[in-house]
Structure formats: C-alpha cells, structure tokens
Amino acid sequence: MLLARYFRERYAELGGVIVGVDTYAGGATDFSSQIAKILALPAPPDMLYVSSGPDDIGRIIKQLRAAGLAQPIVGGDGYDTPLLLQVAGAAADNTYFTTHAFLDPQRGNAGPAPVHRGLHDRVRRSPDTAFAALGYDAVMLIANAIERAGSAKQKAIPEALEATDDFPAVTGSISFGPGEHIPDKDVTVVKIVGTTPTLAAVIRPQKVPAPEGVPARTAGGREGRGGRRRDCCEPLDLSLPPARGGGCGRRGATIHSGSARARR
C-alpha cells in the first residue's frame, strides 16, 4: 500500500492525473470487479500502475489484457520474479517495473560479477531476480563497514555504514549519510517486450520517499546526486501519446493490494 501511495503523490506532483484507485485482497484470483471499474471510466487511462506482489502480478496482468486493456502497466520490484512471465506469458508485453538491477549477462547493468559466479557455482544457474544481488550487497556493505571501522562492535558498524560513499555494489553505487538509512542509489527500469525482459533505463530518483515522520530526500540534496541518469540505455519511453498542457498531463489509474476490510 505504501508503494501505491508514493506513486500517487509523486505522480500528482509531476502533473499527472489519477483517474481511479482500487484495491484487492492479496491472493485473489478474480479481478473482474477492479477491471469493470477501469472499463467504466469516462475516458481510458494512459497507463495502469499496479502495486502487487510476485504471487499476484501475473494473474492481474493476464486478466487486464484479456479485458482489452492494452495500456502500459507499471509497478515495483514485486514484478521482479519468474512468475510474471510464467503466468502472464505474452500478456506481459508493454509492462514496466522498477527494481534494483537487471542481471542479464549480456544486456544487464549489474556491477561486479562475483555474485553471478558464486551463485552459479552453487546452484548451477545464474540468479533470475535482483534479490540475490541485494543479499550479496548487504553482506558486502557490512564487511566493508567493519573493515573501514576497524571493529565489529555494535556501535561501530552503523556509524561506518552511514559514512558509506559510492560503494561499488552489484546493484549499483551505494551511498548513505548521517542519520540516513535509505541508500542513495540508482533505480533500474525493466520493460517486457513480448516475453523478453529488457533494460529500459537506469535513473537516480529526484525525490526519495521517506518513512513516516522523516523528510523526503530531494534532488540537489547530499552532494547534488539526485536525478542523475546513467548513460547505459535509451531514454525511457512508456509508449504513451504526447502530454497535453503543462506537467506530464498523463492520466493514470492505480490498483494495489490491501486487506479485505480496505476493499470495502
């Protein structure tokens, strides 16, 4: 639910218009109610933002496409799962999601390669999502902090972690700052073309949502790194019509997982 809220707030700040919001219960198998509300809108949205977990997203996309909704579908790292294509198949075409790295050996943007070799040696295959790389990065960040602190004591490690600057992780360069436990790092955007995941963009967020009660980090903050784009791929194109008027002008609808009570 937080991801959907973050999207709605930032989308509106950038000039987008949210034309519909709905929820579903995690584990649901029938999304006809949510689809009917989208189809009943006075004008179709330009895109659909679906905040979903890995177990649900394939079913959701398949049913949206079967109902004739061909707009780009956008979401977060819950899409970073083999289940997306295993369940949705060709219906996943024109789907975008943000994640931590694209690990394709030929077309990916992952950093140092030891995690690929290590996991392949153990399980005889390369990792199929970015989460394996996240686990590797977490361990290496702690090891690096201990080395820089010269101590493995409880207080020394977090202090050294907060002083991390441009650590060369598999999922990209990672930095922290005093009192900041949200990493300053790039976000990878993956686009499904047909049934093939492709690297669409690597973007440094201009504004990073923070936990409740903590100010959000904006571009031009720590050392002005916000908003940086790495020249690794073509500019991101959501295959949408030109915006009308000021701002992004795009009309989006969001669907996100919630409790059965939230749905009522």
Side-chain angles (χ1 to χ4, degrees), residues 50-241:
V50 183
S51 177
S52 171
D55 293 335
D56 300 326
I57 188 57
R59 292 193 297 270
I60 295 173
I61 290 177
K62 193 170 185 177
Q63 291 182 37
L64 287 168
R65 297 304 193 214
L69 294 166
Q71 297 95 327
I73 297 173
V74 184
D77 61 9
Y79 293 29
D80 194 353
T81 169
L83 290 172
L84 172 61
L85 290 170
Q86 289 173 10
V87 176
D93 180 55
N94 203 23
T95 293
Y96 298 76
F97 63 90
T98 53
T99 188
H100 311 276
F102 185 51
L103 300 182
D104 185 278
Q106 282 75 46
R107 298 167 292 131
N109 68 316
V115 65
H116 297 252
R117 294 196 300 268
L119 285 175
H120 187 275
D121 290 346
R122 285 180 176 273
V123 299
R124 301 300 176 187
R125 64 180 178 86
S126 298
D128 49 18
T129 75
F131 296 105
L134 278 183
Y136 180 89
D137 286 350
V139 173
M140 297 307 293
L141 276 166
I142 294 172
N144 177 260
I146 291 172
E147 182 179 0
R148 286 186 288 107
S151 170
K153 291 186 178 179
Q154 183 176 359
K155 184 178 180 181
I157 295 175
E159 289 179 350
L161 282 171
E162 289 184 351
T164 299
D165 185 59
D166 285 333
F167 176 77
V170 174
T171 58
S173 175
I174 296 177
S175 299
F176 292 98
E180 292 188 10
H181 296 168
I182 298 176
D184 183 13
K185 66 190 298 286
D186 292 330
V187 172
T188 298
V189 183
V190 175
K191 177 183 180 180
I192 306 298
V193 179
T195 57
T196 302
T198 65
L199 181 60
V202 179
I203 300 171
R204 182 63 58 98
Q206 295 180 342
K207 182 176 180 180
V208 180
E212 296 291 340
V214 178
R217 186 168 63 236
T218 58
R222 182 167 68 252
E223 299 182 14
R225 282 199 284 260
R228 182 180 64 186
R229 177 189 293 272
R230 285 167 48 187
D231 297 328
C232 70
C233 48
E234 295 299 317
L236 180 60
D237 177 11
L238 285 180
S239 302
L240 299 178

